[in-house]
Amino acid sequence: MKTLVICSGGLDSVTLAHKVAAEAELTRLISFDYGQRHKKELDYARRCAERLGVPHNIIDIANVGALLSGSALTDDVDVPDGHYEEETMKVTVVPNRNAIMLAIAFGAAAAEKADAVAAAVHGGDHFIYPDCRPTFIDSFEEMQRHALDGYASVKLYTPFVHLPKSDIAAEGSRLKVPFEETWSCYKGYEHHCGRCGTCVERREAFHVAKVEDPTIYQDPDYWLEAVEKAKGV
């Protein structure tokens, strides 16, 4: 199955790209510049495409992103520390981001006669991000079926949608993904901060999966405190 992968350069999407390359026909990686706080992740997506030997397109939708204001990922708003399950993490929501990116990716996939678009949404995102939930995924695929009716048939491949991030870390280990060649941190420092929601989730995922984490964190132990607080310990 010819499959296009939306790749941010993070742990989840890079693992997905390797999974598709191993199990299907990976046609290209697509990344998005939506005016996010930093662009480091896009460089890691580029490296992934080079490693897998496929084209990589960075789609500039920064003008669109400028309208999606109020998020810590696009505005001058502090990125909160802590576990993703905390209420404060809702400030990292970029409204309709996945729907916008998926619509573009489906158009590209239809144009190149690909069979599927793959996205790395996973179970841990459901609490905060509505456009990562199974109901959204199912509804979006149905909408695209109507949008491309008579022109193309493109599936939405989301193998991680019901899985925790620890399962993704385990799958990446099985696929021999070079985890040091992925970027998750929202803050964009020289190294992962170790304190933002995505750093805490990343560190916890490796621990739960019992997979060695090669990531350099500025604060490598904060995740323990954040997880205990989230669980009310």
Side-chain angles (χ1 to χ4, degrees):
M1 191 162 68
K2 296 170 64 176
T3 304
L4 176 158
V5 174
I6 298 175
C7 184
S8 68
L11 169 64
D12 308 330
S13 61
V14 169
T15 297
L16 178 60
H18 277 259
K19 181 176 177 66
V20 170
E23 299 175 359
E25 180 182 348
L26 177 63
T27 61
R28 71 178 61 246
L29 302 187
I30 287 186
S31 305
F32 292 89
D33 178 353
Y34 58 92
Q36 56 266 56
R37 179 178 290 266
H38 65 81
K39 305 295 190 294
K40 290 190 70 168
E41 59 185 4
L42 298 179
D43 187 50
Y44 286 86
R46 175 188 59 78
R47 296 183 202 181
C48 179
E50 290 176 353
R51 189 166 58 248
L52 296 175
V54 296
H56 177 224
N57 300 97
I58 298 177
I59 311 300
D60 186 353
I61 56 169
N63 287 337
V64 175
L67 298 175
L68 311 180
S69 58
S71 171
L73 304 191
T74 56
D75 259 357
D76 187 19
V77 177
D78 289 340
V79 175
D81 294 340
H83 197 277
Y84 255 139
E85 294 182 357
E86 295 181 23
E87 187 72 16
T88 55
M89 289 301 157
K90 287 187 176 179
V91 76
T92 64
V93 172
V94 179
N96 229 33
R97 178 179 61 176
N98 280 356
I100 293 166
M101 293 179 180
L102 282 167
I104 294 171
F106 263 78
E112 68 175 29
K113 302 189 185 319
D115 301 299
V117 170
V121 297
H122 67 87
D125 289 333
H126 299 172
F127 176 75
I128 297 172
Y129 303 112
D131 55 2
C132 291
R133 296 170 187 161
T135 49
F136 167 78
I137 296 300
D138 293 342
S139 298
F140 189 91
E141 185 174 32
E142 175 68 8
M143 181 269 289
Q144 283 297 310
R145 186 177 68 80
H146 291 287
L148 295 172
D149 185 38
Y151 180 79
S153 177
V154 181
K155 302 294 184 182
L156 180 50
Y157 180 52
T158 55
F160 304 149
V161 70
H162 295 291
L163 302 180
K165 197 180 187 82
S166 55
D167 282 4
I168 300 175
E171 178 72 347
S173 179
R174 183 185 71 81
L175 293 166
K176 296 181 169 43
V177 173
F179 294 123
E180 67 277 7
E181 289 292 315
T182 65
W183 184 269
S184 299
C185 183
Y186 285 154
K187 296 186 181 181
Y189 300 147
E190 180 180 359
H191 301 298
H192 284 68
C193 73
R195 298 182 63 90
C196 69
T198 189
C199 276
V200 169
E201 183 189 44
R202 179 186 175 107
R203 182 69 184 86
E204 182 184 19
F206 280 113
H207 173 76
V208 172
K210 296 181 172 55
V211 171
E212 182 179 356
D213 183 359
T215 314
I216 299 173
Y217 299 98
Q218 291 185 351
D219 190 339
D221 299 321
Y222 172 75
W223 73 279
L224 291 166
E225 175 188 335
V227 169
E228 288 180 357
K229 182 179 178 182
K231 293 179 178 177
V233 177

